[in-house]
Amino acid sequence: LLEGIWPQPTFIVNSGYGFHCWWLFREPWELESEQERDEAKLMLRQFNSYFIKNSTIGIICENTTTG
């Protein structure tokens, strides 16, 4: 399903209403300042946008993140 996607998700859950891809960090991501939180939000938005823009196999990617 996600051949060619890098990085591969840590795991994929089939909820019965669709597949949910989860990417886990190797270690906790500790954000200690407002600037670090803003930078993390931007990186997560860019990561999510990549999949929305590059969905070429009929996958609907919702613009959502958890965290």
Side-chain angles (χ1 to χ4, degrees), residues 1-19:
L1 181 64
L2 294 175
E3 188 174 317
I5 297 293
W6 184 90
Q8 286 288 306
T10 307
F11 56 90
I12 301 171
V13 175
N14 181 353
S15 69
Y17 295 97
F19 292 98

Side-chain angles (χ1 to χ4, degrees), residues 43-56:
M43 283 189 281
L44 290 172
R45 281 190 207 113
Q46 290 171 336
F47 184 76
N48 196 39
S49 292
Y50 167 81
F51 291 99
I52 292 169
K53 292 177 184 174
N54 293 289
S55 178
T56 60

Side-chain angles (χ1 to χ4, degrees), residues 12-43:
I12 301 171
V13 175
N14 181 353
S15 69
Y17 295 97
F19 292 98
H20 302 266
C21 299
W22 290 78
W23 286 264
L24 302 181
F25 295 110
R26 291 185 184 144
E27 55 190 58
W29 194 3
E30 297 181 24
L31 307 172
E32 299 178 359
S33 70
E34 193 63 34
Q35 179 180 349
E36 288 179 343
R37 284 187 281 280
D38 290 341
E39 290 171 357
K41 287 177 191 177
L42 176 60
M43 283 189 281

